Amino acid sequence: MTETDPRAAESQRSAVPEFPAAVLFDMDGTLVDSEKLWTVAMDDYAATNGAEISDAARARMVGSNMSRSMRLLLTDIGMSTGPADIEAAGQQVIERMAEMLANDLTWRPGAEQALRRVSTDGVPVALVTSTIRSLTDIALRTIGAEMFDATVCGDEVDGCNKPDPEPYLRACRELGVDPADCVAIEDSPTGVSSAVSAGCAVLGVSCEVPLEPELGCTIRDSLEGLDTAELGTLLRRG
């Protein structure tokens, strides 16, 4: 029997890619360029009421759920924020978004290729989004619902929306994986905070709002050229 050199064996082991137990993708601004569509929908609503959204208010909406975004919108343009007002404003914005998601949705740079690489490598994939299910399902016609082993939407977490960790914890429960063995990919501080709090390693790729390493994420300029092995290195850094 040939004796194995321990150093050679260790080198061989280190050369084998270590993949995450699952990769958890945000949707708006991460996989698809839909944050711009949300801006159009919000601007249209404000304009019909003779107002204009401030840049600061729009930035605070990024990564938030529907209810909070509508409250921020109505407050910013000086309108009533009662439950009925929020619901009515939300319905108008949802109708406009449904139209645009069906016709104007485009991928973020490198996102489609990165998603397909992870899936091809056999790693479970979840979509974790603050967008409500009805709109997510429209977006999935472009993205491909078959690409995901689980999807968690903003109206499916009992009000515990990002930055609460529950959306990512729920996705991990559905996949049967430990969050500490998973990588989340996010574009907003709100989303990064959610994934970090859940215990995931996080790759941040900013879209509309800048990200800082102090948030607890590894920052990349885009998803172009990203592969599953690189995502595995984020776990080892942790």
Side-chain angles (χ1 to χ4, degrees), residues 3-16:
E3 185 175 348
T4 302
D5 184 340
R7 291 172 298 179
E10 178 62 30
S11 176
Q12 185 176 17
R13 284 194 298 270
S14 64
V16 177

Side-chain angles (χ1 to χ4, degrees), residues 61-81:
M61 295 177 197
V62 176
S64 295
N65 70 330
M66 195 71 191
S67 179
R68 181 172 184 269
S69 292
M70 291 304 99
R71 187 176 292 106
L72 287 167
L73 167 61
L74 293 174
T75 299
D76 191 58
I77 63 178
M79 296 180 65
S80 174
T81 58

Side-chain angles (χ1 to χ4, degrees), residues 102-189:
N103 298 294
D104 304 316
L105 193 61
T106 58
W107 290 91
R108 292 287 294 156
E112 181 177 12
Q113 295 81 1
L115 176 60
R116 293 191 181 281
R117 287 189 194 105
V118 172
S119 181
T120 298
D121 284 335
V123 174
V125 180
L127 185 70
V128 185
T129 177
S130 293
T131 297
I132 61 175
R133 170 60 67 178
S134 62
L135 292 180
T136 299
D137 284 343
I138 296 173
L140 284 172
R141 296 174 195 167
T142 295
I143 301 170
E146 72 282 357
M147 300 299 297
F148 301 97
D149 300 286
T151 58
V152 176
C153 298
D155 53 346
E156 298 173 341
V157 290
D158 300 321
C160 299
N161 298 92
K162 301 175 186 179
D164 191 281
E166 176 57 22
Y168 281 101
L169 292 174
R170 174 168 174 166
C172 290
R173 289 196 300 270
E174 291 191 10
L175 294 175
V177 294
D178 186 335
D181 297 327
C182 300
V183 177
I185 304 179
E186 274 283 355
D187 74 300
S188 71

